Amino acid sequence: MAVTLKDIAEKVGVTESTVSRVLNGIPKASKETRKEIFQVAADLGYKPNQIARSLVTKKTHTIGLIISDLANTYFARVASGIEKIASKYDYSLIISTTGGDEIEELKYINLLKEKQVDGILFASGRMPKSCRKLLRETEIPTVVVAREVEEELPSVHIDNVKESYRAVKYLINNGHQKIAMISGNANDKESGLYRIQGYKQALNDNKLEVREELIVEGDFKLQSGIKAMEKILKRDSSITAVFAASDEMGVGAIKAIKKAGLKVPEDISVIGFDNNIISLASDPELTTISQPEAELGWRSMEMLYKVINGEELEEKKIFLPCELKKRGSVRKL
Amino acid sequence: MAVTLKDIAEKVGVTESTVSRVLNGIPKASKETRKEIFQVAADLGYKPNQIARSLVTKKTHTIGLIISDLANTYFARVASGIEKIASKYDYSLIISTTGGDEIEELKYINLLKEKQVDGILFASGRMPKSCRKLLRETEIPTVVVAREVEEELPSVHIDNVKESYRAVKYLINNGHQKIAMISGNANDKESGLYRIQGYKQALNDNKLEVREELIVEGDFKLQSGIKAMEKILKRDSSITAVFAASDEMGVGAIKAIKKAGLKVPEDISVIGFDNNIISLASDPELTTISQPEAELGWRSMEMLYKVINGEELEEKKIFLPCELKKRGSVRKL
DNA sequence: TTTGATTAGTCAAGCGCTTGACCAAAATTG
DNA sequence: CAATTTTGGTCAAGCGCTTGACTAATCAAA
């Protein structure tokens, strides 16, 4: 059996309350009893039962992370950033993966509520109405990560429209006019729709024609990038650049271009999005927009910590800047 | 205030015990009261407080995962595999990252003990004596992941010696005789030392000379692979193949070889280890040993589940087979 | 009709901890 | 030196749930 406060109390000859207070650093005991209590606690190898403690304090010092997919480097890095700060504040992290599925999301929100977590970090799907409603009902402090959300929920994310705009603008600045895009699914607002919007806006602002047939949808994975690029090449082989909504697709594009007997960047320039390690592995190395995943993670955790402690937030919605990583896959025309 | 058993009990006009039993599916109530209880519980939006429940049942339905680094794809995939099975069995996952640091490991074992987790999955550093001792004392069921461990602790991992042997043997079978190695740090037994052992053994068994100067140490990262390869080339440019202890280093090697004006695989063949997505991004694609990370994860969780439930394990140490992925970076001499 | 089993509950204790209220003795102050 | 404050504790309740022991009523069987 595990050793409890009672065991220590009996051995020392005081009540549990005294032991509890001493061990919690409340100065309500003589130097000698204090010393003895610490001694006995150490001897017995006492470890406070946090479950019991939580029951009374109504704090678990645990936060729940609802995330799409841990195997995905992007989310893994976000999670890693979160974990670091959580640990700094002595919070444990319960991680639940949803695959972006609404049913799972709801299930986990409920579960986390039952487990009485002190806060929730939501880095999953599109954050459907049902989730927002449930979250509101449960009244658990929540911060949304990497996802814009209409409501009053605090969030930290990047401006996908703006950053995509920047990528395409870079291409344009380098003299490109015929620019294709390999997009993600537009149902995914952030990295799907918004990145398409940024692309279109950049073209429009520069009086370039938006040709829908030059926007081919992929699923962010490498293979789909290859497929998409092949399609684009078939539709119009005179393009000089392509913007891929993810590095994996960007690398896929490079592969497809090479396979078609063309060269990157001599014939076609490619720019990606994410700054995944994969962008450094390809040949040529992929120019890309670098996302601050780790910072996304830790900022959201810092934010949540404030919310939990009732501190005021200076900003409810934080946009983190990305960085353009210039590498070898884009050339000046 | 959250709704409790008491609230339901009062509203229905029975005692808490009855409500508790009904909600837990224990058939000790009439059809009508059962129905009413469920109704009221739903109306009130009752969610059982698992903390209170845990305090009495002494089960938290939570397992703790102690892992090196979430941002590392390898561990992220292991974690992802674990999470899937944990979720299947309705276990929550508390994740703690240690960076392989002993102090952190000890800290987290203690923390998990305090949080009364039902089991621990250890996928961190070298599992030092101190950890094993602490783990034994805490008496929490534990399974070690991706790490061989002398003790009687159950574990699931791959046979790094054998799999490295296989990689090098493949090179030899393809006619290579002068084979260099880019290793990890030998302090890391599994992916450092053991992979070197496999390399040496394969050379020995085939009457090839082991030349220590042809084993250059990296840190598993891409950059270190480039550096290491440059060193090797400087030491003996007549080698025809190199075995890298990680895909990142393998890709680094390819880059260095190309930069030196040589071709892969025409001049030098390269084989990696991991089957990281990066191996598919490089040009040529990297031949490699594919590790079953996800399976490593879910098998260990399956194992832990059995241990927690007092089931007998058929095997205490499971070795999972890897797979040789033949791609374009190795040629037949 | 009596016995025995079953059904549908109640009661109370307890899981390990915190915390407000109380109290006696010692120490301080005017 | 009496009045007050401080020190060093104790006591009991309670967090929300489970669970063994008990009971009263109903029902089937002999």
Side-chain angles (χ1 to χ4, degrees), chain B residues 15 17-18 21 28 30 33 58:
Chain B
T15 56
S17 14
T18 302
R21 290 197 163 97
K28 256 202 166 187
S30 66
T33 33
K58 305 202 160 299

Side-chain angles (χ1 to χ4, degrees), chain B residues 159-178:
Chain B
D159 186 332
N160 275 290
V161 176
K162 191 173 119 196
E163 304 298 345
S164 301
Y165 187 102
R166 186 208 306 238
V168 177
K169 189 75 203 309
Y170 174 69
L171 257 18
I172 295 173
N173 288 345
N174 272 279
H176 295 275
Q177 308 241 27
K178 280 185 163 178

Side-chain angles (χ1 to χ4, degrees), chain A residues 14-15 17-18 21 28 30 33 56 58:
Chain A
V14 291
T15 56
S17 13
T18 303
R21 291 198 163 96
K28 258 201 163 187
S30 66
T33 33
V56 17
K58 306 205 160 298

